[in-house]
Amino acid sequence: MKTPAHLAAMHDDSALRAAFARAFGGRAPAALARAPGRINLIGEHTDYNGLPVLPFALPHAVRIAFAPRDDARIVLRHAREEHPPSEFIASPAIEHDPPGSWANYVKAAVEHFARLLLETSGAAARGFDALVDGDIPQAGGLSSSSALVVATALAFCEVNALSLPPLELASHCAAAERYVGTQGGGMDQAASILGAPGCALRIDFFPLAATPVPFPEGWAVLACHSLVRAAKTEEARAEFNRRVGECRVAAALLGRALDRPEAPRLGDFAKEFGTAACVRALGEAVPPDSKILARARHVFEEAERVAEATRALAAGDMRTLGRLMSDAHASARDLYEISGPALEELVRLFLEGGALGARLTGAGFGGFAIALGEEDPLARLMAEVDDRFYRVRAPARPLEELRFIARPAEGARVVRV
Ligand code: GLA
C-alpha cells in the first residue's frame, strides 16, 4: 500500500517533470535527482576537526529534473523566480558567479566532477538541461546548499556514466563545495547521501565512515527558524572560516606542546591523548581567557558528547540524548560563540515547553534551532512557538516555511523516468 508520503513524492515528481517540459520546449527529463537536507542532532563544528557528528537526513530535499545534451553546456533553470537562469560550459575550471548566486553550488559540483571524469577516464564532460526545485528552507543551517551540490553531482554522474561508491561520492561532494569558499567539513554531504529512513547517522571523518543508529518510533525533532539568515556564502562565511582558522591554530599549538608537529587536526590529538591532556597542554600554551582555548575545548568536549549521545540513542535513552543536546547548545553559545538572541529565545521556549533537549543546529550564526521530544507533545510545543515567537516577530510569514516536525528520512538518489 502506498503511504501518503509516497503519494506526495509522486505528485512532486510529476509537477517537476511538467515544469521541466515547460522550461525546455516540451522536452521530457531523462531522470530526477533528489538530495535531502539534514538536521544535526549533536556534534557541531567537529567534522572539519576530524571528530564525529550525529545528523539525520530530512524529508525536505533539493530535486533536479535533467536530460543530457549533445554538447558540454549546462543549462539551468530554477522553479522559483527569485533564482535567475544560468548557463555555462561543464569543464574542470568554471568561472564563479558573484557570491550569493545559487548557480555557484551547481558550478561547484560540475567543476569538481568534470575534473574527476577527465582524470579517471580522460573523457570530456557532457552537459545537461536541468530544472531545480526544492523545499529545504534556505540560509537556515539545514544544508540546502550542500543538497544542491549533491543533487547536481548525482545528475552529472548519471549523464556522464560516472559511478562512485556512496562514501567516495560524499567525500568528493565535500571537496567540491569548497568552490564557494567555505572551509566546511564533510557532514552535510555525507548525511544527504547516506541518510537512512528511521535512522540517525554517526559519521566519522578521515577516513569517512557512517553507521546508522535507529531513531525510536514516536520520537521526533521540532525545527524552528530563528528568522536570522545563516547564509554560508554571505555574512556567516567569514565567521565560519574564522572558527576553522582558530581550530587550526589550536592544533598547531598542540603539535608543538605535545611534539606532534605534523598532526593536522584537533581530532588527531583527541584520539591520541584524550580531552583532559589536550585541554591541559593547550591551557599552558595560551592565556586562560584565550578564544583559541575556548574553541578547542568546545571541539574536544563536543566529540565526547557525540560518543555518549550515540550510545544513548542506540539504547533508546532519549532523556540522556536530550540532556547532551542542551549541553552542546550551552557550549556552542559560550565556548564557540555561534548562537545569538533569537536562537537563545527559541531554545528557552523549547525547554520551557517541555522539550527533552534543545539546541541550535548546523553552523550557527542564525538559522534553525531544534527540540527533541515525543511527536504529540512536540505538536503542542510547535503551536506554542507559533503564538509566542512567529506571530509576534513575523506575523505575515507563512508558518509552513518556518518550522516543521521531522523524523529521519531517506538519502539521496536518482530515479530514471
Ligand atoms: C556547516 C558545514 C559542516 C559543519 C557544520 C558545523 O554546516 O558545512 O561541514 O562544519 O557547519 O557543524
Side-chain angles (χ1 to χ4, degrees):
M1 206 184 83
K2 298 260 182 247
T3 62
H6 275 99
L7 291 176
M10 276 167 54
H11 171 78
D12 285 355
D13 285 357
S14 61
L16 190 66
R17 288 210 296 267
F20 181 94
R22 279 197 301 281
F24 293 103
R27 198 176 176 210
L32 310 180
R34 183 186 177 283
R38 61 100 191 93
I39 266 176
N40 189 17
L41 285 172
I42 193 163
E44 225 62 86
H45 293 268
T46 43
D47 61 351
Y48 52 82
N49 287 300
L51 289 163
V53 295
L54 189 64
F56 67 70
L58 283 171
H60 307 67
V62 166
R63 293 176 301 120
I64 305 183
F66 61 96
R69 294 175 56 89
D70 293 330
D71 56 21
R73 190 166 284 279
I74 305 287
V75 181
L76 271 184
R77 301 284 181 272
H78 202 290
R80 293 173 197 217
E81 271 169 16
E82 67 263 32
H83 299 310
S86 175
E87 292 193 24
F88 58 93
I89 301 293
S91 86
I94 301 174
E95 205 178 305
H96 289 73
D97 275 9
S101 159
W102 73 285
N104 275 334
Y105 291 94
V106 177
K107 290 182 166 187
V110 171
E111 180 185 271
H112 183 91
F113 285 87
R115 192 180 318 124
L116 184 68
L117 182 71
L118 188 65
E119 282 166 7
T120 53
S121 69
R126 184 173 184 186
F128 51 87
D129 293 337
L131 180 84
V132 181
D133 198 3
D135 60 356
I136 309 172
Q138 288 173 21
L142 303 184
S143 299
S144 59
S145 40
S146 299
L148 179 53
V149 172
V150 170
T152 305
L154 289 178
F156 183 94
C157 289
E158 176 75 13
V159 166
N160 287 282
L162 188 59
S163 168
L164 293 168
L167 284 173
E168 257 180 63
L169 180 66
S171 297
H172 278 293
C173 285
E177 200 172 320
R178 310 249 153 79
Y179 180 92
V180 300
T182 311
Q183 302 297 316
M187 163 169 67
D188 306 345
Q189 302 80 2
S192 182
I193 290 169
L194 302 158
C199 290
L201 289 176
R202 147 100 189 209
I203 305 175
D204 288 272
F205 302 91
F206 310 107
L208 186 64
T211 314
V213 186
F215 192 88
E217 283 298 327
W219 291 84
V221 162
L222 165 65
C224 293
H225 202 304
S226 64
L227 303 173
V228 177
R229 278 173 63 78
K232 258 202 230 169
T233 53
E234 296 160 34
E235 316 81 46
R237 178 170 69 176
E239 279 301 322
F240 185 97
N241 287 344
R242 184 169 306 136
R243 298 297 183 282
V244 178
E246 286 164 342
C247 289
R248 288 200 188 126
V249 172
L253 289 169
L254 274 179
R256 213 174 302 154
L258 297 170
D259 198 23
R260 292 286 182 281
E262 40 330 300
R265 293 179 201 92
L266 290 178
D268 301 316
F269 298 98
K271 285 169 199 161
E272 185 175 353
F273 298 99
T275 295
C278 289
V279 171
R280 200 177 325 113
L282 195 57
E284 283 163 15
V286 297
D289 58 352
S290 145
K291 297 275 185 220
I292 301 288
L293 182 60
R295 307 304 189 232
R297 250 189 69 202
H298 164 80
V299 170
F300 291 133
E301 292 170 5
E302 184 83 345
E304 295 195 334
R305 282 189 287 270
V306 172
E308 207 184 329
T310 307
R311 285 193 296 273
L313 182 60
D317 178 359
M318 303 306 265
R319 191 159 293 281
T320 300
L321 174 63
R323 175 182 52 78
L324 291 162
M325 288 169 65
S326 297
D327 290 352
H329 181 75
S331 177
R333 178 191 60 220
D334 300 337
L335 297 179
Y336 225 67
E337 296 183 274
I338 55 174
S339 187
L343 284 168
E344 289 308 311
E345 170 79 7
L346 277 176
V347 166
R348 192 177 59 76
L349 287 176
F350 290 165
L351 293 174
E352 280 176 13
L356 275 196
R359 60 183 294 272
L360 63 82
T361 191
F365 314 108
F368 273 75
I370 56 171
L372 179 72
E374 287 182 276
E375 277 169 304
D376 290 344
L378 278 189
R380 285 195 292 277
L381 179 57
M382 185 164 89
E384 219 175 290
V385 175
D386 287 350
D387 281 346
R388 294 174 63 188
F389 193 82
Y390 296 120
R391 294 214 167 89
V392 180
R393 294 182 182 221
R397 294 271 301 267
L399 289 167
E400 300 69 48
E401 54 185 58
L402 298 174
R403 86 299 186 252
F404 56 87
I405 292 173
R407 283 185 42 81
E410 67 180 336
R413 67 191 155 92
V414 171
V415 181
R416 294 186 189 137
V417 293

